[in-house]
Amino acid sequence: MLMRLNDLSMFVDERGNSDATPLLFIHGFPFDHSMWRHQMSHFSAGHHVFAPDLRGHGDTREVEHRSANVTVNTLADDLITLLDSALGNQSRLTICGLSLGGYTAFELWRLIPNRIERLILADTKAAPDTPEVRERRKSQAEQVAIHGARAISDGMLDSLLAPVHRHGVVGMEVRRMIESTDPQEITRILNALATRPDSTATLPTITVPTLVIVGELDKITPLSDSRYMVQAIGNTARLAVIPEAGHLTALENPSAFNTALSNFLALYQH
Ligand code: MLT
């Protein structure tokens, strides 16, 4: 459904019983809510699940004008507006963010820690971009400006997915999401990624139960980043390594992802 929230018409996939525990899924870049389709169908049985399209992605549109600058903080603010509108501003919920979704989840933790009951950080990292990664993003933005999103999709598929998934159904789905993203939006979000804050100092402030998930073949945010996060968060955090998956664990190995998430949620049922 489309929800009008401040300057946005935000697409939100919302399912499940509104009395059940809310669970928010935040997608990565440059994808949309559909990357959570296996989780939405599985977890809607026991939870009130939300998977929005972030600003700049999917079917979410800026209604009046395109804001010049988008940061990870803007994306987090958009989600707070969504939560206020859908659940009220006293609600507590579980947040599951993958990659850019994880960077946004750190921002949410800094902004509304009292509303977060549990956190799932999937295929993400606390550290900011290295100078090399910033350069790569700049060159991706240049290629996209000249040739469109197709200029970067092959390279992205190689770094995002385990080899076994690159040429199958998952590869097709991921290519569709990348290539249907507006090139100007890709440029804006690349800039948001490159300028995101360092969340390293946030890790020890996380006091809620946290599940860190990572694909065993993740090349973008490898296992070492996840191990570091678990250690820095401390004893409220646990790690799940997903076999046969790269950076997009939720799509590449949904049954292992869902099992890890179900087991974690079952530990902290009300
Ligand atoms: C993502 O999946 O959101 C991106 O890989 C994040 C990044 O490039 O840092």
Side-chain angles (χ1 to χ4, degrees):
M1 87 181 140
L2 285 170
M3 288 175 77
R4 180 68 201 261
L5 302 167
N6 296 338
D7 66 329
L8 287 184
S9 163
M10 180 181 261
F11 180 85
V12 185
D13 185 0
E14 177 186 359
R15 302 188 210 174
N17 185 332
S18 61
D19 294 333
T21 314
L23 172 55
L24 171 70
F25 289 103
I26 316 174
H27 64 74
F29 161 83
F31 313 123
D32 60 48
H33 70 280
S34 70
M35 65 150 278
W36 296 114
R37 64 189 177 86
H38 302 286
Q39 287 68 44
M40 290 299 283
S41 52
H42 186 88
F43 291 98
S44 56
H47 292 80
H48 186 191
V49 284
F50 294 86
D53 287 348
L54 296 174
R55 186 184 293 258
H57 297 79
D59 289 327
T60 290
R61 298 279 174 271
E62 281 154 311
V63 180
E64 276 136 32
H65 64 278
R66 197 190 286 252
S67 33
N69 194 27
V70 173
T71 63
V72 169
N73 181 269
T74 319
L75 304 181
D77 266 348
D78 292 341
L79 293 178
I80 294 172
T81 310
L82 163 66
L83 296 175
D84 288 351
S85 161
L87 299 169
N89 63 10
Q90 301 298 315
S91 60
R92 285 170 59 77
L93 79 157
T94 298
I95 292 179
C96 173
L98 185 143
S99 199
L100 166 63
Y103 310 153
T104 309
F106 286 131
E107 200 70 21
L108 287 169
W109 174 258
R110 289 188 284 267
L111 292 167
I112 51 161
N114 297 336
R115 289 165 68 177
I116 301 177
E117 221 162 28
R118 293 169 293 199
L119 206 49
I120 299 98
L121 301 168
D123 303 284
T124 195
K125 67 194 311 185
D129 277 1
T130 59
E132 294 74 32
V133 173
R134 286 205 186 110
E135 274 311 304
R136 197 200 64 218
R137 298 204 198 276
K138 234 168 104 185
S139 114
Q140 283 180 315
E142 280 159 14
Q143 289 175 56
V144 166
I146 301 168
H147 304 291
R150 285 181 138 197
I152 58 166
S153 49
D154 282 339
M156 284 195 79
L157 284 190
D158 284 351
S159 48
L160 286 165
L161 301 176
V164 66
H165 298 301
R166 279 178 208 154
H167 305 289
V169 177
V170 176
M172 277 164 54
E173 258 181 280
V174 174
R175 180 183 295 282
R176 178 198 55 76
M177 288 189 279
I178 297 171
E179 295 183 357
S180 60
T181 307
D182 179 336
Q184 277 181 285
E185 301 295 357
I186 291 183
T187 303
R188 280 199 316 171
I189 305 297
L190 281 168
N191 185 56
L193 289 165
T195 57
R196 73 181 187 277
D198 186 351
S199 293
T200 309
T202 302
L203 295 173
T205 72
I206 297 176
T207 47
V208 292
T210 301
L211 176 64
V212 175
I213 297 182
V214 64
E216 63 173 351
L217 301 171
D218 188 339
K219 293 199 284 190
I220 297 176
T221 49
L223 180 55
S224 53
D225 289 325
S226 287
R227 287 217 168 100
Y228 176 79
M229 290 195 290
V230 171
Q231 201 192 23
I233 294 170
N235 54 17
T236 57
R238 57 188 64 226
L239 177 69
V241 180
I242 306 297
E244 291 168 43
H247 187 62
L248 295 186
T249 43
L251 261 181
E252 291 179 81
N253 193 341
S255 71
F257 187 103
N258 290 354
T259 301
L261 182 48
S262 292
N263 291 343
F264 171 73
L265 295 174
L267 286 175
Y268 304 100
Q269 242 157 20
H270 307 282

